[in-house]
Amino acid sequence: MAIIVSPLPGIFYRKPGPGKPPFANEGDTIVIGQTVGIVEIMKQFTEIQSDVAGVLQSFEVDDGAMVNPGDAIIVIHEG
């Protein structure tokens, strides 16, 4: 099991924009380098990419929630 953490403070979003589909959903197969969300701070958006391959098990924060550096965002079951 791998945990993807926020690299910076801001607001976590599961989608690239309003009305757009999420980058990934629970149960999706994730590949290394795949964007799984974004963190926005002061109108600057940082893509959160997976550094492991596996199945997205769960989101640890809600869409639109505040995150801090090191906060767990996503759990991926490697394999």
Side-chain angles (χ1 to χ4, degrees):
M1 188 166 28
I3 297 173
I4 297 175
V5 300
S6 179
L8 66 164
I11 301 173
F12 174 72
Y13 294 107
R14 292 181 55 189
K15 304 175 188 178
K20 305 276 186 182
F23 289 108
N25 291 301
E26 291 175 353
D28 286 356
T29 299
I30 304 298
V31 297
I32 293 173
Q34 179 175 340
T35 299
V36 292
I38 53 176
V39 173
E40 181 262 327
I41 182 168
M42 298 179 67
K43 302 295 180 199
Q44 293 188 359
F45 296 87
T46 301
E47 289 187 353
I48 306 301
Q49 297 178 338
S50 179
D51 56 357
V52 297
V55 175
L56 198 158
Q57 184 174 324
S58 64
F59 286 92
E60 300 299 298
V61 296
D62 293 328
D63 188 40
M66 289 293 300
V67 292
N68 291 302
D71 284 356
I73 296 176
I74 295 167
V75 176
I76 294 179
H77 186 268
E78 295 178 82

